[in-house]
Amino acid sequence: MHRAVNAAVLGLTFFLVAYCLCFWFGIMPKFYPLLGEVHFASLPGKHITVKFVGSAIVGLVAGIFGFLIGRRLPEKTSPFLYALFFLTMTGACSYLVMREVLAYIWR
Amino acid sequence: MAYYLPADWSRFFLIIHLMVSVFAIGSVTHHWWLVVKKNGSSERLYRFAVWMATGYTLALLLGILIYPGYNVLVRKPPLGMLEASASWAVGLFEIKEHLGTIALAMLPWLVISARFYEQLNRMQRISYVIATWLFTIFVYYVFIVGALVTIIRTF
């Protein structure tokens, strides 16, 4: 049993949840003002940069928190962590894939 | 200030991106093979996991570099045409971006599991094998769809 592995699993779970929430609620556009004045016509490429890279960064920060929390959890929580992860992974992949399928492939 | 590279630079970095991706897919395949065949020591597993993590992260960073330019010059109107001519390809490409990001977040788990393979209990080893399969499938999807979309339309 190694605690760092459990911590990485919880970190990944946190990442998945944060990353999907950014896309679900469209959270990232609210961060645009932090990067300066937004004007889509004059700054092509900015929207997509913030959307994907920003969501990934938010996810990674959440993942680091998950990792730190995971290291402190007792070893007996391990089965719960793995069950939670595989459930989250299934949900996240289904949501993200269906989102793009409905938006671009079946339209 | 433009948020994307000009077409010439994008083309240059696309080729570098492809070369690094080939290296990454090689190391991912080697790591997967060691895990599936169960013939690798912890040391060998860790070595390939580190190569895999390095190659994949580098390929992803190069991808991020050309991604805004791809969206403006290739994909979205008025300059890009891909969305109008082959929206299904854009859909596959967006799925690739999501799976690629998830694969990046899976790397710490795989590297730590490879490093401490001898100390893992049965459940952790089974999960490591499943995670390796998932990661390898994701990376192959990313590689194949990336090549496919580039063949359809590029800079």
Side-chain angles (χ1 to χ4, degrees):
Chain A
M1 173 69 68
H2 206 283
R3 276 193 177 190
V5 180
N6 291 344
V9 171
L10 190 66
L12 181 53
T13 309
F14 273 45
F15 167 86
L16 288 170
V17 173
Y19 182 76
C20 288
L21 285 177
C22 279
F23 279 94
W24 181 271
F25 290 111
I27 289 168
M28 289 322 297
K30 294 180 178 62
F31 287 88
Y32 289 159
L34 298 176
L35 298 170
E37 187 67 30
V38 178
H39 197 287
F40 291 109
S42 63
L43 293 173
K46 185 170 182 173
H47 172 263
I48 204 74
T49 308
V50 176
K51 189 179 119 186
F52 257 111
V53 179
S55 300
I57 289 171
V58 171
L60 288 173
V61 171
I64 290 167
F65 273 108
F67 188 90
L68 295 174
I69 293 167
R71 279 191 76 89
R72 290 171 172 270
L73 291 177
E75 289 177 0
K76 64 182 177 185
T77 56
S78 191
F80 172 74
L81 290 182
Y82 282 96
L84 184 68
F85 163 72
F86 283 111
L87 203 67
T88 311
M89 184 67 143
T90 309
C93 287
S94 306
Y95 161 64
L96 292 169
V97 169
M98 284 314 293
R99 180 180 190 274
E100 306 307 343
V101 167
L102 292 173
Y104 294 104
I105 298 174
W106 279 346
R107 72 176 181 182
Chain B
M1 180 186 167
Y3 275 79
Y4 64 94
L5 294 171
D8 288 346
W9 279 104
S10 296
R11 210 174 293 124
F12 171 74
F13 281 114
L14 180 67
I15 293 166
I16 305 290
H17 178 51
L18 173 69
M19 289 160 71
V20 177
S21 301
V22 171
F23 168 78
I25 205 113
S27 53
V28 167
T29 309
H30 275 87
H31 173 262
W32 168 81
W33 184 253
L34 286 176
V35 170
V36 169
K37 287 290 165 191
K38 295 176 185 164
N39 62 356
S41 63
S42 183
E43 206 173 297
R44 276 185 80 193
L45 266 180
Y46 180 58
R47 195 188 318 142
F48 276 103
V50 169
W51 280 117
M52 174 178 85
T54 310
Y56 184 77
T57 308
L58 200 59
L60 197 96
L61 288 175
L62 284 162
I64 289 171
L65 199 62
I66 55 177
Y67 188 70
Y70 175 82
N71 272 283
V72 174
L73 301 171
V74 180
R75 181 180 149 182
K76 287 181 181 292
L79 298 176
M81 298 298 290
L82 189 68
E83 215 164 273
S85 61
S87 68
W88 61 270
V90 175
L92 292 180
F93 188 82
E94 291 288 292
I95 293 169
K96 158 186 154 8
E97 298 305 304
H98 292 310
L99 296 185
T101 312
I102 293 172
L104 176 74
M106 287 177 82
L107 278 173
W109 179 10
L110 297 176
V111 173
I112 292 170
S113 295
R115 174 74 180 82
F116 300 108
Y117 188 74
E118 314 291 351
Q119 298 171 38
L120 301 183
N121 64 17
R122 191 166 174 272
M123 191 181 65
Q124 286 179 323
R125 286 189 184 194
I126 292 169
S127 300
Y128 174 45
V129 173
I130 296 171
T132 302
W133 271 98
L134 274 177
F135 180 82
T136 308
I137 291 167
F138 286 179
V139 172
Y140 266 84
Y141 177 88
V142 167
F143 187 78
I144 292 166
V145 168
L148 178 75
V149 174
T150 309
I151 290 166
I152 293 170
R153 192 174 286 270
T154 190
F155 297 102

